[in-house]
Amino acid sequence: MLFRSGDAVVAVFGQRTDARTACRQAFASLALIARNLDRLSDLLRNDLGGRLRYGIGIDGSSTVSGEIGFGDHTTVTAFGDALSVAARLQDLTKELRCEALISETVMRMGEIDAARFPLRTAELRGFERPVPVRVIRSLTGSGVDAEGDDTSPG
């Protein structure tokens, strides 16, 4: 499921698959997002006055999703800790000057080799416990690879 929330684009993985596959799909999507945003940045370089910068947060907690509204005025949305944590991680990418923060939960549940990414503890507003995260400074050349993985949210 893909939807907008404020100035962010939110992708929810795992609606039609198990947690391991969903985490692997979310992680693999990083390479595709980076590649597409780099292309967009190249196209808009003159208008932007430089490279497009972005931050991505991924968490593997649970979510609830569905249609809300009435009659002809419905929309699909999701809520839950995964979205709150991911949004706060995305905000933290600015402070840490990195392109992605991935919760250790995603790495563990997805059985993804996390050794190449530094581990950090993130204190997040609204959460009592710190969240262990992996820091990806730059998605270009970081070893994040989407080859062979189905990255469609599902």
Side-chain angles (χ1 to χ4, degrees):
M1 172 173 48
L2 197 63
F3 64 95
R4 281 190 51 218
S5 177
D7 65 350
V9 176
V10 178
V12 177
F13 293 83
Q15 292 183 294
R16 290 181 223 105
T17 190
D18 60 272
R20 178 184 179 275
T21 302
C23 289
R24 294 179 74 80
Q25 289 173 338
F27 185 78
S29 74
L30 290 171
L32 298 174
I33 292 167
R35 186 168 39 239
N36 287 327
L37 287 175
D38 286 345
R39 286 179 186 155
L40 180 61
S41 184
D42 288 344
L43 289 172
L44 299 176
R45 188 172 307 275
N46 292 335
D47 295 327
L48 297 173
R51 185 175 175 273
L52 182 65
R53 294 194 332 230
Y54 54 89
I56 300 169
I58 299 178
D59 184 50
S61 307
S62 61
T63 63
V64 175
S65 61
E67 270 188 61
I68 61 168
F70 182 75
D72 294 339
H73 304 286
T74 63
T75 186
V76 176
T77 193
F79 61 92
D81 280 351
L83 299 173
S84 299
V85 170
R88 285 171 179 80
L89 291 177
Q90 182 271 324
D91 286 342
L92 190 57
T93 63
K94 296 170 195 157
E95 181 183 321
L96 297 180
R97 301 172 88 108
C98 63
E99 290 185 350
L101 291 171
I102 317 302
S103 74
E104 187 68 8
T105 301
V106 169
M107 305 303 266
R108 183 181 37 77
M109 288 189 335
E111 299 174 3
I112 300 164
D113 179 15
R116 63 190 183 268
F117 306 112
L119 179 63
R120 178 185 174 102
T121 301
E123 300 282 341
L124 303 178
R125 177 179 46 85
F127 291 88
E128 290 181 17
R129 288 186 236 164
V131 177
V133 296
R134 294 293 174 161
V135 179
I136 303 175
R137 295 271 171 229
S138 172
L139 289 167
T140 305
S142 66
V144 175
D145 186 12
E147 296 303 314
D149 282 312
D150 172 16
T151 57
S152 58

